[in-house]
């Protein structure tokens, strides 16, 4: 904890940062698949895509991890977070602090903190992005986004549709984000 921001090189804290370039290179539709890259973090998903998912950092309980989305707590009462429905759509950066930090983030940050930041518009000319992916088992992923900036106001909006039949019959999954 410090009064001013510090670079990661100046702190002794184990932090993993997944920026938008890394997330785009991974080409994963779910945040949980991106979080699998974090050292010391274990992602457990029950069943097929869309099943209840928990994150365990350094062997701690899943409800000991604080999850923030744009600085707002996503944890349920009791501390648990189901990561199955979180898509990478509109996510600009994910930071994972892999140590206790209850001084700043509260008592439910016993094993770590996951901070997810959404994208922001940056250009004066509106930017439009459309992607389409497809694969086995009837998998289709559409993503369309628009963003920009006008003087001190920035905007970004993104819509994603992910649809798959999964490997198991009668186990289809659809997510609109």
């Amino acid at each position: 904890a410090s009064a001013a921001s510090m670079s990661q090189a100046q702190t002794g804290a184990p932090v993993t940062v997944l920026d938008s370039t890394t997330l785009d290179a991974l080409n994963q539709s779910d945040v949980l698949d991106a979080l699998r890259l974090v050292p010391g973090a274990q992602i457990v998903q029950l069943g097929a895509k869309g099943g209840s998912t928990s994150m365990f950092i350094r062997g701690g309980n899943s409800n000991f991890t604080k999850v923030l989305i744009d600085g707002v707590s996503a944890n349920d009462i009791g501390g648990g977070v189901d990561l199955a429905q979180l898509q990478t759509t509109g996510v600009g950066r994910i930071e994972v602090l892999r140590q206790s930090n209850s001084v700043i983030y509260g008592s439910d940050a016993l094993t770590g903190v996951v901070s997810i930041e959404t994208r922001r518009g940056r250009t004066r000319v509106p930017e439009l992005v459309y992607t389409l992916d497809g694969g086995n088992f009837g998998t289709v992923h559409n993503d369309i986004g628009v963003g920009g900036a006008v003087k001190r106001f920035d905007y970004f909006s993104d819509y994603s549709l992910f649809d798959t039949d999964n490997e198991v019959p009668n186990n289809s999954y659809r997510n609109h984000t």
Side-chain angles (χ1 to χ4, degrees):
S2 66
S5 62
M6 298 174 66
S7 69
Q8 184 178 347
Q10 293 177 320
T11 68
V15 177
T16 300
V17 177
L18 303 171
D19 59 0
S20 61
T21 306
T22 305
L23 293 172
D24 289 342
L26 289 173
N27 195 27
Q28 296 292 334
S29 61
D30 296 327
V31 168
L32 66 99
D33 289 329
L35 289 174
R36 290 182 198 274
L37 295 176
V38 176
Q42 179 69 33
I43 305 295
V44 176
Q45 185 173 19
L46 301 176
K49 193 167 204 63
S52 180
T53 305
S54 299
M55 180 176 186
F56 303 87
I57 295 180
R58 295 194 171 186
N61 203 344
S62 65
N63 60 354
F64 291 167
T65 302
K66 180 82 163 190
V67 178
L68 303 171
I69 300 175
D70 286 335
V72 178
S73 178
N75 294 60
D76 291 334
I77 295 173
V81 175
D82 183 11
L83 299 171
Q85 303 304 319
L86 291 177
Q87 299 284 309
T88 56
T89 300
V91 173
R93 181 180 177 101
I94 302 172
E95 295 181 13
V96 181
L97 174 67
R98 300 181 315 271
Q99 72 178 16
S100 177
N101 205 337
S102 58
V103 172
I104 295 175
Y105 298 104
S107 61
D108 52 351
L110 293 174
T111 60
V113 178
V114 177
S115 177
I116 301 170
E117 297 176 15
T118 57
R119 292 183 184 173
R120 303 178 72 88
R122 292 172 283 183
T123 62
R124 299 180 99 208
V125 177
E127 182 181 20
L128 178 67
V129 178
Y130 177 73
T131 60
L132 173 67
D133 298 331
N136 295 341
F137 307 115
T139 302
V140 177
H141 181 216
N142 287 296
D143 186 30
I144 186 165
V146 63
V150 179
K151 295 185 182 182
R152 299 183 78 184
F153 174 75
D154 66 82
Y155 59 94
F156 186 83
S157 181
D158 205 340
Y159 175 75
S160 176
L161 166 67
F162 185 85
D163 191 13
T164 185
D165 290 335
N166 276 324
E167 201 171 346
V168 180
N170 299 321
N171 194 19
S172 64
Y173 172 74
R174 172 174 276 178
N175 189 332
H176 296 271
T177 303

